[in-house]
Structure formats: C-alpha cells, structure tokens
C-alpha cells in the first residue's frame, strides 16, 4: 500500500471513529460530568497516540533518507542510502542513490580536468621561471662578478653582497620551480622523487626521514603524481602548521598489490580544526585514481596521512611496462 493511502486511511479511521461515537449511545451531559470528561479525553489521547505512532512508522524511511542526504560527502564517495519502506520511499531512495552516483562521476571528471589544467599551469610557470627569470638572474650574477673583479676595494664589498643576494634569489627561484614541476619524478621515478622531497623539507628545525620498502610495485604516471603531491602537501602542512620537529615518510607495497604512502609527524595534530583547501585538494587527487585517503591522529600524537593506492594502478603500470 502506498504512503498516500496509508496516511489517508489512518486519518479516515480516526474521523469515522469520532463520528460513530457521536451517533452512538454515548451521551454527554450538560454540564459535562467528570467521568464523561475522563472518557472523552482518554479516547482523544488514544486516537492521537495511535495517529502519531502510525505516522512515525510510516514516515521513518523518509527520516532515514533525510539523514543519509545530510551525511553525503562527495569527497568520500561510496555511501548510499538503504532502500526500504513503502514503494514511493523506496523509489525516491533509489533515485537519490542514482543521482548521487552521477554527481560523484561528474565531480571526479571535473576534478580531473581542473587538476590537469593546474598541473599544466604549474609546468608552464616553472618553465618560465627557469627559462626567463632564472637565466636573467644568472646573467645579472655574471655581470656582478665581472664588475666586482674590476671595481675598487670600497665598492667591491658591496658588489659581493649584491652578488650573494642575487645568488640566493636564484636558488629560491629554482626551488620554487622544482616544487611547481617535479622534474625528478619524471626523470628518475617516484622513489628518487620521495627522497629528494624529504631532503628538500629537512632543515635545522625539522628532520624528515624516508623509509622506502623493498618491494614497492611500479605505478602509472597519474598515480605517481598523486602520491608525490599528497606527500608534498602533507610535508608542507607538517612544516608550516603542525609545529613538528620530526616527520617520517613511508612508501611500501601491500600484500594485495597496492601501494601505501604514510606521512607521520610529531606535531600538534589536527584536533577539532576543519579540513582546509590543502586536505581537500589531497582528497580530490586521491579520488582521481580511486585511492583511499585517511587523515587522523598518530600513535604518539601528531598527524598520520595515509594514502592507499589500489592495485589497479600498479597493474596498469605493469601493463604499460610490458607493452614497451
């Protein structure tokens, strides 16, 4: 029976019962006697309770569907509402689940296009920094050296200082270009890129160690880039926001053929803070390759960022290698 007819018949039964009581032998004195008032109030209470109970039972599937809708997060796909209840509610739940699947697919497609455009823009900016700004600063550095060699002693020291400032700026430009475009990832692979990344973030106040397992299966290019960017963002958060002094970057193979990246720091942890743009960016990247991203507290405090890349990405890489 449909939800419409359930509610209609329920209210009809209550109204018919009230009319039968009025037309029956039951009479009400004027003024109303205490016993008669008790009977009337008891009957009214019984009808209201029955009406409320039956409506709650009938509308419970809608309440569960509403809670499922409120809990939907497109960055954590896979959650679906349970199909149950009357035909109309079951059909509504099925339609909602189908709509959620389409939204997840469209979100994944739009995120892929946006991140692809972002990576292309990163490469373009890195190339311009290297070719334009980097070469210009190199030329300035050579000119300063040539001028310092010919300048008189009082002016030579100032030119040397300007030369050192220019050299520092050139190193910073190169560092920014490396972060924008991970050339070591393209040229030497993920293992070398992770080692270079840990060395880049190591400083006087932060120690970053890498632990790479002996049997890490190869990944395809998209998965390698996702692993690299997630590790880069996790290290950036640890260095800038967590107040960490030690960070460990683990890259290992799983028994099922998957690959796990674990970035563990000893900082202050996330706590009740909401997820910012950096963490949301990591989740969007993980969705591109069907990876599972989990962020939580570590065993000794701090924050654990865990990325599990499915075996399908390693199988695709193996297939690519076999076709070469």
């Amino acid at each position: 029976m449909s939800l419409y007819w359930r509610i209609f018949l329920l209210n009809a039964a209550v109204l018919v019962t009230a009319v039968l009581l009025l037309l029956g032998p039951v009479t009400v004195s004027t003024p109303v006697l205490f016993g008669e008032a008790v009977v009337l109030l008891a009957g009214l209470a019984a009808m209201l309770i029955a009406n409320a109970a039956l409506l709650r039972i009938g509308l419970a599937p809608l309440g569960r569907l509403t809670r499922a809708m409120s809990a939907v997060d497109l960055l954590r796909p896979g959650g679906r509402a349970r199909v149950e209840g009357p035909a109309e509610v079951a059909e509504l739940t099925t339609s909602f689940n189908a709509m959620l699947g389409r939204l997840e697919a469209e979100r994944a497609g739009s995120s892929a296009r946006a991140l692809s455009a972002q990576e292309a823009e990163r490469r373009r900016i890195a190339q311009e920094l290297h070719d334009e700004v980097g070469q210009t600063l190199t030329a300035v550095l050579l000119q300063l050296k040539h001028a310092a060699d010919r300048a008189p002693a009082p002016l030579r020291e100032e030119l040397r200082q300007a030369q050192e400032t220019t050299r520092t700026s050139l190193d910073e430009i190169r560092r920014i270009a490396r972060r924008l475009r991970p050339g070591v990832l393209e040229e030497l692979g993920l293992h070398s890129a992770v080692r270079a990344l840990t060395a880049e973030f190591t400083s006087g106040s932060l120690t970053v160690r890498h632990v790479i397992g002996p049997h890490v299966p190869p990944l395809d290019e998209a998965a390698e880039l996702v692993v690299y960017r997630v590790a880069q963002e996790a290290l950036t958060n640890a260095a800038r926001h967590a107040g960490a002094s030690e960070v460990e970057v683990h890259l290992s193979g799983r028994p099922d053929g998957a690959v796990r990246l674990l970035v563990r720091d000893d900082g202050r942890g996330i706590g009740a803070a909401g997820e910012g743009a950096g963490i949301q960016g990591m989740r969007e990247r993980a969705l591109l390759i069907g990876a599972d991203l989990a962020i939580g507290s570590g065993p000794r405090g701090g924050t654990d960022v865990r990325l599990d890349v499915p075996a399908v990405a390693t199988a695709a890489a193996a297939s690519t290698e076999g076709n070469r």
Side-chain angles (χ1 to χ4, degrees), residues 39-307:
V39 171
L40 289 174
L41 292 177
L44 177 61
M47 287 188 293
L48 291 176
I49 291 173
N51 193 16
L54 293 176
L55 283 175
R56 177 175 290 275
I57 294 173
L59 298 178
L62 285 178
R64 287 190 288 271
L65 178 59
T66 301
R67 290 190 293 272
M69 289 179 175
S70 302
V72 166
D73 186 355
L74 294 180
L75 292 178
R76 296 178 175 85
R80 295 293 185 271
R82 187 172 59 183
V83 179
E84 59 182 356
E88 289 90 345
V89 178
E91 183 178 357
L92 178 62
T93 306
T94 302
S95 300
F96 170 73
N97 288 338
M99 179 193 69
L100 191 57
R102 291 194 300 271
L103 287 175
E104 290 176 351
E106 292 173 2
R107 174 65 181 267
S110 62
S111 296
R113 290 188 295 271
L115 291 175
S116 177
Q118 184 184 77
E119 289 297 332
E121 186 68 11
R122 283 171 178 254
R123 286 193 295 269
R124 185 187 66 80
I125 295 175
Q127 192 70 29
E128 290 186 359
L129 286 175
H130 181 272
D131 294 344
E132 302 294 335
V133 181
Q135 291 183 6
T136 300
L137 287 179
T138 301
V140 171
L141 192 62
L142 293 175
Q143 291 174 358
L144 287 173
K145 181 179 183 304
H146 181 70
D149 292 339
R150 295 180 144 191
L155 184 60
R156 186 179 304 142
E157 183 62 27
E158 295 183 7
L159 289 174
R160 297 292 186 193
Q161 292 178 359
Q163 188 178 354
E164 288 302 317
T165 302
T166 304
R167 183 178 289 109
T168 302
S169 300
L170 181 59
D171 292 340
E172 183 68 16
I173 290 294
R174 289 171 176 170
R175 184 186 65 81
I176 294 174
R178 285 196 302 270
R179 288 196 178 186
L180 288 173
R181 180 177 178 268
V184 65
L185 179 63
E186 299 175 358
E187 298 168 2
L188 302 178
L190 182 60
H191 295 187
S192 298
V194 170
R195 294 188 184 98
L197 195 61
T198 57
E200 180 181 347
F201 277 89
T202 298
S203 63
S205 59
L206 180 64
T207 302
V208 183
R209 293 189 294 270
H210 62 268
V211 180
I212 299 178
H215 303 294
V216 180
L219 298 172
D220 57 31
E221 292 182 1
E224 282 189 345
L225 183 59
V226 168
V227 172
Y228 181 85
R229 290 302 188 195
V230 169
Q232 186 180 46
E233 184 63 33
L235 287 173
T236 301
N237 290 339
R240 292 182 180 177
H241 309 299
S245 59
E246 293 185 0
V247 183
E248 293 181 355
V249 180
H250 297 260
L251 186 66
S252 59
R254 311 300 297 169
D256 58 356
V259 172
R260 169 170 291 181
L261 170 72
L262 175 64
V263 181
R264 173 173 292 167
D265 66 62
D266 63 349
R268 63 177 63 94
I270 296 179
E275 295 187 354
I279 295 179
Q280 291 181 0
M282 287 193 287
R283 293 197 183 281
E284 289 181 351
R285 290 184 182 276
L287 286 178
L288 295 180
I289 59 173
D292 179 43
L293 179 71
I295 302 175
S297 300
R300 298 184 301 273
T303 303
D304 276 9
V305 178
R306 190 187 73 244
L307 179 72

